[in-house]
Amino acid sequence: MDLSAITKHSALHAKPSGLLLQYGTAGFRMKAEHLDHIMFRMGLLAVLRSKQTKSTIGVMVTASHNPEEDNGVKLVDPLGEMLAPSWEEHATYLANAEEEDMQRVLIDISEKEAVDLQQDAFVVIGRDTRPSSEKFSQSVIDGVTVLGGQVHDYGLLTTPQLHYMVCCRNTSGQYGMATIEGYYQKLSRAFVELTKQASCSGDEYRSLKIDCANGIGALKLKEMEHYFSQGLSVQLFNDGTKGKLNHLCGADFVKSHQKPPQGMEIKFNERCCSFDGDADRIVYYYCDADGHFHLIDGDKIATLISSFLKELLLEIGENLNVGVVQTAYANGSSTRYLEEVMKVPVYCTKTGVKHLHHKAQEFDIGVYFEANGHGTALFSKAVEDKINQLTRELEDKKGKAAKILRNIIDLFNQVADRKVISTTDAERQAVTPPGLQEAINDLVKKYRLSRAFVRPSGTEDVIRVYAEADSQESADSLAHEVSLAVFDLAGGIGERPQPGF
């Protein structure tokens, strides 16, 4: 480790005085002008992690659903997972070190994790379309190279694509080719084969309107479109040619506002979906014959997938352990439907895909989706040999899917941002300030089929207030009352929260 070279390069990416950051649910994320030193230091950390695991490590430069002026960075572990929790602590430690302490901190991390500094290191990098992302990728590369690591910059990628590249490289190509072409071929073949086995009631069944949030998803879908052109017709909206990233569009906007994105007109029976800025979230929606908007968010997606898979397993006589993993943000009615009607066990974890992913790995088939659209279905190694058999048994599930959707009562939620609060019980109970949880409990008792909780955001320096009830009016009212309790008991500043915040 050339400590003098590290000191020299670090000075070119100096840390702003007094700035303290925490590696959160999605890595580091804030206003772009404060992040250059973080990018350089995460390049350093990626090299140490690569040396320790003797694997390729990924670095993704993105702020996902955040506004265009923000940016962020997160590390990807060897099999495409989120960074290990112990290394999240190292990331925070390194990010907050003063310039004069950089050498000592790097040595501390290396010694604590028994890093062989003579081991080769390889890091792959991807970035989203933000104006600051290209410059930040170069800062990451600077950190990697000064520690002697090799680097491959993939340039513009969706976050799932970078996770894919890391997994492919660390499985010697068994998972797929670590190229854009390999990614497109793997996914499109699976999609085409799956849709061959589902009946089609008309051409409209194969068409989809896609809101790309003015982000990277538009560029990559345009590249991928011809791979499945015979199986699906797509229309892209908010494709980055005009409009700002994530502004009045994208999965987070559609989920939060319960309405279509700007620039997309929806007609009856048209199928639509939205990505977020780095295309690792997706939500679906449509309008019925009366023009009413219907959202198929992560809760409904998880319900449909798990119910679909369980029915297939019953039809072919397979007895596998299927489980659904949710967070406290999950629609309570979806939880009840899964447990009471479908008889699928449901488990709750802290917010963040990394927590859901780890729990889902405990099942033969683990399904997890956050309400915001992050998620997937995991098949254990023991189940992989059965996949071909499952696909041969597929039948049209359109009627069953509609029935499932009708059985899930829509319980709406509203979100507000306030001061930091500590929580427990998978973030469903407030520990501090004193009296807040008791106040929330009293408010919830006033409404039917209701619940509410508050938690610190994992991606922004805010507090989120969640409320659920049997109608939009009741949910809005409960959310407002809870936000007032937060304001009063947690030292709120500025104007008191107003109805419809």
Side-chain angles (χ1 to χ4, degrees):
M1 188 187 299
D2 188 343
L3 296 178
S4 61
I6 293 170
T7 300
K8 177 181 176 181
H9 282 263
S10 183
L12 301 176
H13 304 278
K15 171 182 172 292
S17 178
L19 181 64
L20 296 177
L21 298 175
Q22 176 78 32
Y23 193 101
T25 302
F28 294 106
R29 193 177 294 180
M30 67 182 308
K31 297 297 182 186
E33 59 262 30
H34 302 305
L35 282 172
D36 183 63
H37 73 293
I38 294 293
M39 301 295 172
F40 171 74
R41 296 179 184 197
M42 290 308 98
L44 298 174
L45 191 71
V47 170
L48 295 183
R49 182 62 170 160
S50 177
K51 289 176 179 290
Q52 188 225 25
T53 60
K54 300 179 181 179
S55 304
T56 295
I57 296 298
V59 180
M60 185 69 196
V61 178
T62 182
S64 187
H65 64 281
N66 280 39
E68 187 173 272
E69 57 270 22
D70 291 357
N71 216 321
V73 62
K74 54 188 173 183
L75 272 62
V76 179
D77 256 3
L79 294 181
E81 323 101 308
M82 299 293 188
L83 184 64
S86 61
W87 280 77
E88 290 183 6
E89 296 177 10
H90 297 326
T92 299
Y93 183 32
L94 182 59
N96 295 323
E98 299 302 330
E99 291 296 325
E100 62 269 22
D101 298 325
M102 282 286 291
Q103 294 184 10
R104 177 181 58 80
V105 170
L106 289 169
I107 292 172
D108 285 350
I109 295 171
S110 300
E111 291 179 348
K112 183 173 183 178
E113 296 293 344
V115 176
D116 178 3
L117 296 176
Q118 303 306 311
Q119 173 68 37
D120 291 338
F122 197 88
V123 177
V124 295
I125 301 172
R127 69 175 189 270
D128 69 12
T129 56
R130 294 166 195 274
S132 59
S133 290
E134 185 172 7
K135 172 182 177 291
F136 284 155
S137 289
Q138 189 56 52
S139 298
V140 174
I141 292 171
D142 198 14
V144 173
T145 54
V146 76
L147 267 187
Q150 293 182 289
V151 64
H152 179 84
D153 183 6
Y154 279 100
L156 292 168
L157 287 182
T158 68
T159 292
Q161 285 177 330
L162 182 70
H163 284 260
Y164 167 88
M165 302 303 176
V166 173
C167 185
C168 289
R169 286 178 176 271
N170 289 317
T171 56
S172 302
Q174 293 182 20
Y175 189 71
M177 295 187 297
T179 63
I180 291 293
E181 179 81 6
Y183 178 89
Y184 293 152
Q185 288 180 351
K186 181 182 177 74
L187 268 67
S188 61
R189 278 199 299 263
F191 174 78
V192 170
E193 287 302 313
L194 181 64
T195 53
K196 281 180 181 177
Q197 322 214 16
S199 63
C200 180
S201 60
D203 291 341
E204 78 281 359
Y205 186 77
R206 301 296 190 212
S207 65
L208 182 65
K209 288 185 171 182
I210 304 176
D211 161 32
C212 299
N214 290 315
I216 184 65
L219 298 180
K220 296 307 174 180
L221 263 181
K222 289 174 183 177
E223 294 176 358
M224 189 178 186
E225 187 175 356
H226 74 273
Y227 286 88
F228 50 73
S229 58
Q230 295 181 346
L232 179 67
S233 172
V234 298
Q235 292 178 268
L236 305 187
F237 297 83
N238 299 314
D239 64 357
T241 55
K242 58 182 180 179
K244 290 183 65 175
L245 180 71
N246 294 321
H247 181 62
L248 302 178
C249 59
D252 193 59
F253 174 85
V254 173
K255 175 72 172 70
S256 298
H257 292 82
Q258 298 281 319
K259 67 179 183 180
Q262 187 178 71
M264 181 190 287
E265 181 183 350
I266 304 178
K267 299 177 182 178
F268 168 57
N269 211 30
E270 287 185 327
R271 293 166 174 81
C272 310
C273 68
S274 288
F275 294 143
D276 63 345
D278 62 337
D280 69 345
R281 293 186 184 187
I282 189 168
V283 295
Y284 295 89
Y285 43 93
Y286 63 94
C287 283
D288 61 25
D290 296 322
H292 295 142
F293 178 82
H294 294 268
L295 177 69
I296 305 175
D297 62 6
D299 297 332
K300 290 183 178 178
I301 295 171
T303 301
L304 288 170
I305 290 175
S306 56
S307 300
F308 175 73
L309 291 172
K310 183 170 182 181
E311 289 173 3
L312 289 179
L313 292 171
L314 289 173
E315 289 169 12
I316 64 174
E318 289 289 348
N319 184 23
L320 298 176
N321 184 19
V322 180
V324 175
V325 188
Q326 297 182 328
T327 71
Y329 266 61
N331 185 309
S333 213
S334 72
T335 306
R336 288 191 293 273
Y337 179 83
L338 285 165
E339 291 181 330
E340 298 172 10
V341 179
M342 294 308 301
K343 307 300 181 184
V344 175
V346 179
Y347 298 84
C348 186
T349 71
K350 291 176 63 177
T351 304
V353 174
K354 62 186 178 184
H355 301 297
L356 288 93
H357 184 90
H358 291 151
K359 185 64 180 180
Q361 289 176 315
E362 298 178 10
F363 304 96
D364 293 331
I365 301 177
V367 179
Y368 67 88
F369 268 87
E370 292 184 295
N372 60 30
H374 279 132
T376 190
L378 290 179
F379 295 84
S380 71
K381 184 63 178 175
V383 175
E384 289 181 3
D385 292 338
K386 301 178 186 293
I387 299 302
N388 287 335
Q389 179 183 0
L390 287 175
T391 56
R392 287 194 296 270
E393 297 290 336
L394 284 175
E395 63 179 52
D396 179 21
K397 296 291 175 182
K398 186 177 180 182
K400 292 181 180 179
K403 182 178 180 181
I404 290 172
L405 286 175
R406 285 196 301 271
N407 278 288
I408 299 176
I409 303 171
D410 284 311
L411 300 180
F412 300 94
N413 71 81
Q414 294 290 326
V415 173
D417 298 339
R418 295 295 181 263
K419 201 179 180 326
V420 174
I421 292 166
S422 63
T423 62
T424 187
D425 187 21
E427 303 175 318
R428 292 176 292 187
Q429 297 285 314
V431 176
T432 59
L436 177 59
Q437 188 57 52
E438 290 77 7
I440 293 173
N441 293 343
D442 290 340
L443 292 170
V444 166
K445 293 176 183 177
K446 297 166 54 179
Y447 299 89
R448 184 174 177 271
L449 294 175
S450 66
R451 64 189 183 113
F453 60 88
V454 299
R455 73 166 185 90
S457 170
T459 57
E460 302 163 75
D461 188 22
V462 297
I463 279 292
R464 304 208 179 278
V465 176
Y466 179 99
E468 183 179 284
D470 65 342
S471 71
Q472 180 72 65
E473 182 181 4
S474 294
D476 289 345
S477 177
L478 176 57
H480 178 233
E481 291 193 83
V482 172
S483 72
L484 289 174
V486 171
F487 187 91
D488 292 338
L489 296 173
I493 57 176
E495 294 184 5
R496 289 173 62 78
Q498 300 298 313
F501 56 87

